[in-house]
Amino acid sequence: MGTSRSGSQAARKLQRFADDVSDLPLTQVKEVSFMVKKNVERLAPKRLRNVGKRGARIGVKYNVGNFGGEPKSKVFAYGPFQLVERPTKAHRIPRETIGRGRRQRANRKPILIPGVGWRQSAQHPGTRGKYPWRRGVAQSIDKAQEVLVSPTVTLMRRHF
């Protein structure tokens, strides 16, 4: 910020510092929540192929606020995140049905399996879990402790 040349400049610095100190816990919680979000998103894909028509979108969001006088945050995943986080079991994929009612049974469309051809059903072998949530949160813990332990030093350096 530089050196204060007058009393009014010093008063403004002290006022901004006082405002930041009063909002410090909420600012810390926001910073840590954002850090967790970015670490998890870095490890997870943006979209899942073959889920829905254009691929399902997955990601991380967080809500921050003062609840009961304390700043708190809820960090959560959206979309079918569980398909990436944990392993899936082997399962049968039935053929796609078209239409409604009586026509539904008559209009069954076979499945195209790349490299194999058209089939009435397919056997999916399952997937391994990638665990982006678990790994991203684990990577964030050390940095979050640094943010929560030494905040006033950072504020003082920023203002003075």
Side-chain angles (χ1 to χ4, degrees), residues 94-96 98 107-113 117-121:
R95 60 185 169 181
E96 189 177 327
I98 304 169
N107 295 330
R108 291 200 174 155
K109 194 167 103 176
I111 303 169
L112 175 64
I113 302 172
W118 293 94
R119 297 288 186 260
Q120 293 301 318
S121 65

Side-chain angles (χ1 to χ4, degrees), residues 1-2 20 27 31 151-160:
M1 283 287 286
D20 283 351
T27 305
E31 190 173 335
T152 51
V153 173
T154 307
L155 276 179
M156 289 187 72
R157 285 186 186 146
R158 190 181 306 159
H159 288 287
F160 298 108

Side-chain angles (χ1 to χ4, degrees), residues 46-58:
K46 299 274 184 228
R47 288 191 173 275
L48 293 181
R49 294 179 302 151
N50 302 325
V51 179
K53 289 185 179 181
R54 289 172 292 196
R57 195 159 172 233
I58 62 173

Side-chain angles (χ1 to χ4, degrees), residues 30-127:
K30 283 181 186 176
E31 190 173 335
V32 170
S33 300
F34 184 73
M35 189 184 326
V36 171
K37 174 185 173 175
K38 287 302 171 190
N39 282 338
V40 173
E41 283 181 340
R42 186 174 42 82
L43 296 170
K46 299 274 184 228
R47 288 191 173 275
L48 293 181
R49 294 179 302 151
N50 302 325
V51 179
K53 289 185 179 181
R54 289 172 292 196
R57 195 159 172 233
I58 62 173
V60 180
K61 293 182 181 181
Y62 62 92
N63 295 332
V64 180
N66 282 319
F67 303 103
E70 289 184 35
K72 294 181 183 177
S73 174
K74 180 179 180 180
V75 183
F76 55 94
Y78 66 89
F81 206 87
Q82 73 276 8
L83 296 176
V84 178
E85 181 68 18
R86 295 189 186 92
T88 58
K89 295 179 182 176
H91 56 280
R92 185 174 166 270
I93 301 173
R95 60 185 169 181
E96 189 177 327
T97 56
I98 304 169
R100 292 187 197 134
R102 291 182 185 176
R103 285 187 358 190
Q104 188 175 18
R105 279 186 238 109
N107 295 330
R108 291 200 174 155
K109 194 167 103 176
I111 303 169
L112 175 64
I113 302 172
V116 177
W118 293 94
R119 297 288 186 260
Q120 293 301 318
S121 65
Q123 185 64 30
H124 192 284
T127 60

